[in-house]
Amino acid sequence: MTKIVPSVSVSYASNGSSAKSNALGMRPMQERAYERRGEQYLLIKSPPASGKSRALMFIALDKLHNQGLKQAIIVVPEKSIGSSFNDEPLSDYGFWADWHVEPKWNLCNAPGSDNGGKVKSLGAFLESDDKVLVCTHATFRFAVDQFGVAAFDDRLIAVDEFHHVSANPDNKLGAHLGDFIARDKVHIVAMTGSYFRGDAEAVLAPQDESRFDTVTYTYYEQLNGYEHLKQLDIGYYFYSGSYADDILKVLDPAEKTIVHIPNVNSRESTKDKIREVEHIIEELGEWQGADPVTGFQLVRTSEGRLLRIADLVDDDQAKRDRVSSALKDPTQKNNRDHVDIIIALGMAKEGFDWIWCEHALTVGYRSSLTEIVQIIGRATRDAPGKTRARFTNLIAEPDAAEQAVTEAINDTLKAIAASLLMEQVLAPRFEFKPKNPTSGQQEGFDYGEGGYDPSKCNVGVNEETGKFQIEIKGLAEPKSEEATRICQEDLNEVIAGFVQDKTTIERGLFDEELVPEELTQVRMGKIIKDRYPNLDEQDQEAVRQHAIAALNLTQQAKQLLVGGEAIDIGSNEPKPNTALIAGVRKFAMDVRELDIDLIDRINPFSEAYAILAKTMSEESLKQVAAAISGKRTNLTPEEAKDLALRAVKFKKERGRLPSVSSQDAWEQRMAEGAAAFVRFKDEGRYD
């Protein structure tokens, strides 16, 4: 077994700003959202624990009092999250009203089924003069089915954990929202802590999404503004045999930890979840019985410490409810010693508040990127004395004897894709500018030692907004409003599509003959064409360049960090304000000129491969490489066509066609593609 290699370790300034309130009692993220309170359709993208629930209270109160709306309906994915919208005395902190929900209208606390008494109650609420109701997504769906879309006219519908919605016709909530937007008589506020459906499905239809005004508060801003937490490590760890035997190599009993054991259907599961929990408890020490009040398991470690372990996996509903209630006990919220380790299967992901959690340890690959973001969100709460947090994913190594070797390889690739994506989510916001003779420094940006240099590509940082401004030579700028919005707000969505594309990641990691431009230009280009068919070619190219620049710069900065050049990750004192800045700046300075061609020539997966090679045994790595290279395919007609178009562009720029005998691998590849295109055309493959 090897030790964990963090695939990324990000340090933050912890300047306390995200906890500071303004005169109305709003934190920065809430203030930013409140400024847009007049929008009919508002999407708030903001990390777990950044205060979205309270932001909604401020906006809803304004819509009810000042914008003429009759009522506000708050829709949450599960009953436990309903408590986030309990009464709040907002006026104590400077706001002009308090938040109040009549107990009978918090349907998350009401008995009965979603499709029965609760729907009746919602109907009664619509007839009443009361202002606010809270219910689950399920209750709301049944109510819309029963009462119709028009019954909700002139009301605010606020959807929490919006990533549960999708544009798929089978997703009822998504279809209902589409109907509400088409009728255009309600206001909608949608909130999410995760920017992508891991199911690679769009959350809304593109024409509906364009109606929303977006407020984004990044992980970077959130963590940078904390008081205590300075560093977040994300890593994966491969094991062979049973995970419970190896768990203590990654689980430190001294850290407050949430362990998510594998889903019963996954490869990592032993199919006996109860025995798995027992096994983990046995590994930790000697069982001393259960606490009669909380139901926590008491375990004495070999060092003599008494651990309090909450078991949420137990099939006995009464026992599980007692443990669950003890975890939610508001009087214990600030007691660090209340519980040491929580073991869960499906629970304790979304809306679950345990501020002391320092380590989220997840066994088995999780299929949804959203789920991973939610799990990591459990460890990124700020708490006194907590300077470091980490997320570890324990994954079974592919085993040649296994029938499911292909599945094992897929899980490995998906875990890498997820970690690449998390790095993007945790990075600051990049703002790319084309470098040209008229470029100059912008106010509010710090350009490092020596300041702005007109003769170079500069990297500027704005501490206030957490924005990075990076000059790149030859960069295409977006022309339309939509393309500009994508470059500012949606690059992570584009990158998610790219790193989750199976062919892309397989070739990026294991194809020794790969020409990087086949991924950075051709594959990324195709993903953007498919995702944004309404953009013209110039805008599609601008989005492609911005997305690949964001991905490759983060990866190159990480290489310098992990290589220990830009910062010493091993030191216990995290350097303030992200080492990532140092990494990006160092990369920009190391190359003679930061131009888009140079960025296109970098394989975005080379860094991930280096980390994989450190974490996985050589034997397994060889096996994975062999399985993937055995699948290498010839050019498809579509790929050939794309390469032929790029060959035409090459001819326009250079005055000659690309040559098959060129020394430049990418030129050679375009020439091969153009030849294949002619062949396919002659065969009538493009009818």
Side-chain angles (χ1 to χ4, degrees):
M1 291 293 279
T2 49
K3 64 180 176 23
I4 289 189
V5 178
S7 62
V8 64
S9 178
V10 198
S11 333
Y12 296 89
S14 52
N15 58 27
S17 66
S18 51
K20 290 192 182 88
S21 299
N22 68 2
L24 291 173
M26 297 177 192
R27 284 158 41 191
M29 173 262 156
Q30 294 157 351
E31 186 176 358
R32 188 178 297 174
Y34 190 67
E35 281 167 6
R36 311 290 263 285
R37 63 190 177 278
E39 298 291 338
Q40 183 179 354
Y41 300 115
L42 189 61
L43 174 60
I44 300 172
K45 294 179 172 182
S46 181
S50 56
K52 289 190 288 291
S53 313
R54 193 169 284 206
L56 176 62
M57 294 175 190
F58 293 129
I59 291 169
L61 286 166
D62 190 84
K63 285 189 180 291
L64 292 168
H65 288 273
N66 301 326
Q67 297 178 39
L69 292 189
K70 292 179 187 168
Q71 293 176 314
I73 296 166
I74 318 283
V75 189
V76 298
E78 51 187 66
K79 288 191 295 195
S80 61
I81 298 178
S83 60
S84 306
F85 296 97
N86 288 347
D87 289 6
E88 280 292 345
L90 301 177
S91 59
D92 289 2
Y93 307 100
F95 197 61
W96 45 263
D98 287 329
W99 177 258
H100 172 63
V101 183
E102 285 290 327
K104 67 174 174 180
W105 300 132
N106 189 336
L107 302 186
C108 291
N109 299 336
S113 70
D114 286 318
N115 190 10
K118 291 188 187 186
V119 172
K120 258 202 205 90
S121 300
L122 205 153
F125 169 76
L126 293 173
E127 300 291 319
S128 77
D129 293 330
D130 285 323
K131 292 298 179 195
V132 186
L133 174 136
V134 181
C135 69
T136 61
H137 287 190
T139 301
F140 182 71
R141 285 198 312 266
F142 290 125
V144 178
D145 280 343
Q146 191 165 330
F147 306 123
V149 171
F152 295 85
D153 283 1
D154 304 320
R155 288 168 174 83
L156 166 67
I157 296 166
V159 186
D160 194 15
E161 307 291 2
F162 188 62
H163 48 268
H164 285 262
V165 176
S166 97
N168 184 318
D170 298 337
N171 185 303
K172 271 311 251 297
L173 191 54
H176 286 331
L177 283 173
D179 294 343
F180 280 118
I181 293 168
R183 184 170 167 82
D184 210 21
K185 293 277 175 82
V186 294
H187 285 215
I188 298 175
V189 174
M191 304 186 293
T192 176
S194 163
Y195 310 176
F196 19 71
R197 292 274 313 195
D199 326 341
E201 261 177 23
V203 171
L204 284 175
Q207 67 275 17
D208 290 342
E209 191 158 345
S210 63
R211 305 281 298 275
F212 279 80
D213 201 74
T214 307
V215 173
T216 305
Y217 189 68
T218 61
Y219 257 96
Y220 178 86
E221 290 173 282
Q222 157 96 341
L223 293 168
N224 215 35
Y226 274 171
E227 286 177 72
H228 311 286
L229 187 64
K230 290 190 176 75
Q231 186 165 342
L232 176 62
D233 295 339
I234 292 176
Y236 35 83
Y237 178 85
F238 293 95
Y239 68 90
S240 43
S242 159
Y243 77 84
D245 295 338
D246 277 322
I247 200 153
L248 282 195
K249 293 186 179 160
V250 287
L251 194 162
D252 177 353
E255 285 180 328
K256 302 286 179 187
T257 304
I258 291 181
V259 181
H260 280 105
I261 69 168
N263 181 304
V264 188
N265 301 322
S266 76
R267 264 181 341 112
E268 282 83 359
S269 172
T270 61
K271 309 296 178 248
D272 183 347
K273 58 182 184 175
I274 306 300
R275 182 71 195 104
E276 285 177 37
V277 175
E278 283 172 3
H279 197 143
I280 293 169
I281 288 174
E282 283 162 12
E283 290 287 318
L284 287 165
E286 205 171 305
W287 187 65
Q288 306 286 304
D291 180 305
V293 181
T294 59
F296 296 163
Q297 306 293 326
L298 305 174
V299 173
R300 177 89 53 200
T301 67
S302 53
E303 287 86 46
R305 232 182 106 220
L306 190 67
L307 294 176
R308 301 167 64 77
I309 299 174
D311 172 8
L312 291 172
V313 180
D314 202 314
D315 277 331
D316 183 328
Q317 184 76 36
K319 278 190 194 169
R320 204 169 65 227
D321 285 351
R322 178 191 299 174
V323 170
S324 195
S325 306
L327 288 174
K328 287 180 192 149
D329 181 351
T331 61
Q332 299 294 340
K333 190 174 177 184
N334 296 320
N335 174 10
R336 188 177 185 277
D337 301 322
H338 182 50
V339 67
D340 296 297
I341 293 171
I342 297 174
I343 303 176
L345 207 161
M347 297 167 76
K349 284 182 202 130
E350 284 176 335
F352 174 84
D353 273 345
W354 180 33
I355 60 169
W356 305 106
C357 173
E358 297 164 285
H359 188 188
L361 173 56
T362 300
V363 185
Y365 169 67
R366 291 300 193 263
S367 60
S368 145
L369 294 164
T370 295
E371 189 177 344
I372 294 168
V373 175
Q374 291 293 347
I375 291 173
I376 292 175
R378 301 314 101 207
T380 54
R381 307 289 208 236
D382 203 24
K386 171 174 153 182
T387 56
R388 193 170 186 159
R390 60 193 179 114
F391 164 74
T392 310
N393 197 180
L394 228 66
I395 299 165
E397 279 201 351
D399 174 2
E402 248 184 297
Q403 292 210 305
V405 71
T406 328
E407 188 193 329
I409 290 169
N410 284 344
D411 285 357
T412 305
L413 296 178
K414 286 174 187 164
I416 292 166
S419 87
L420 286 173
L421 203 53
M422 278 315 300
E423 287 158 26
Q424 286 310 129
V425 170
L426 294 168
R429 226 154 160 198
F430 292 129
E431 194 177 84
F432 299 114
K433 294 269 181 229
K435 173 73 179 173
N436 50 43
T438 57
S439 302
Q441 65 184 38
Q442 295 218 339
E443 213 176 310
F445 284 86
D446 168 13
Y447 294 95
E449 274 178 52
Y452 187 89
D453 180 348
S455 66
K456 285 210 173 97
C457 289
N458 294 273
V459 177
V461 181
N462 183 324
E463 290 293 346
E464 280 298 296
T465 59
K467 266 190 188 160
F468 272 37
Q469 201 182 73
I470 300 168
E471 294 180 334
I472 298 175
K473 205 166 173 209
L475 181 78
E477 282 194 284
K479 298 282 183 282
S480 68
E481 245 180 71
E482 175 63 356
T484 307
R485 183 194 69 77
I486 296 165
C487 289
Q488 285 170 356
E489 303 282 350
D490 260 7
L491 289 184
N492 284 346
E493 287 282 355
V494 175
I495 291 168
F498 180 72
V499 298
Q500 284 182 294
D501 181 68
K502 204 153 158 269
T503 315
T504 299
I505 193 167
E506 285 180 351
R507 295 199 58 201
L509 287 168
F510 296 107
D511 182 350
E512 287 170 14
E513 290 162 24
L514 175 82
V515 181
E517 287 93 336
E518 290 179 70
L519 299 184
T520 57
Q521 291 192 16
V522 180
R523 291 302 293 189
M524 181 64 102
K526 182 178 183 316
I527 283 163
I528 285 157
K529 277 194 188 91
D530 292 349
R531 190 176 276 251
Y532 305 111
N534 300 336
L535 294 183
D536 69 20
E537 262 183 50
Q538 277 175 299
D539 272 344
Q540 286 176 343
E541 177 60 9
V543 171
R544 183 199 72 73
Q545 290 184 11
H546 280 71
I548 215 70
L551 176 58
N552 267 342
L553 281 170
T554 305
Q555 291 305 306
Q556 291 303 304
K558 181 182 75 176
Q559 179 186 358
L560 295 171
L561 300 182
V562 176
E565 292 176 48
I567 183 171
D568 175 14
I569 272 185
S571 74
N572 285 333
E573 202 32 61
K575 305 285 185 290
N577 209 350
T578 71
L580 207 65
I581 294 176
V584 170
R585 198 168 266 151
K586 184 165 180 1
F587 175 67
M589 293 307 157
D590 282 356
V591 297
R592 200 178 64 236
E593 230 174 16
L594 191 59
D595 68 32
I596 194 66
D597 291 345
L598 171 98
I599 291 169
D600 273 342
R601 281 198 294 272
I602 297 169
N603 175 355
F605 299 97
S606 56
E607 220 11 66
Y609 181 81
I611 284 161
L612 192 62
K614 286 180 193 166
T615 48
M616 196 186 261
S617 70
E618 202 179 334
E619 187 56 34
S620 295
L621 194 63
K622 273 187 188 150
Q623 191 189 329
V624 174
I628 287 171
S629 58
K631 287 174 24 182
R632 195 159 309 142
T633 52
N634 296 327
L635 277 179
T636 64
E638 199 178 348
E639 285 167 338
K641 185 177 179 182
D642 204 69
L643 285 165
L645 287 171
R646 289 182 186 278
V648 171
K649 198 170 154 201
F650 179 93
K651 188 183 177 189
K652 268 188 204 149
E653 288 167 4
R654 313 276 177 98
R656 63 178 178 82
L657 279 168
S659 156
V660 180
S661 54
S662 167
Q663 289 300 297
D664 179 72
W666 175 228
E667 184 182 332
Q668 216 176 359
R669 194 72 177 143
M670 283 188 282
E672 287 166 8
F677 172 72
V678 173
R679 201 170 61 244
F680 286 136
K681 204 170 175 198
D682 291 345
E683 290 167 8
R685 301 283 285 275
Y686 294 111
D687 293 343

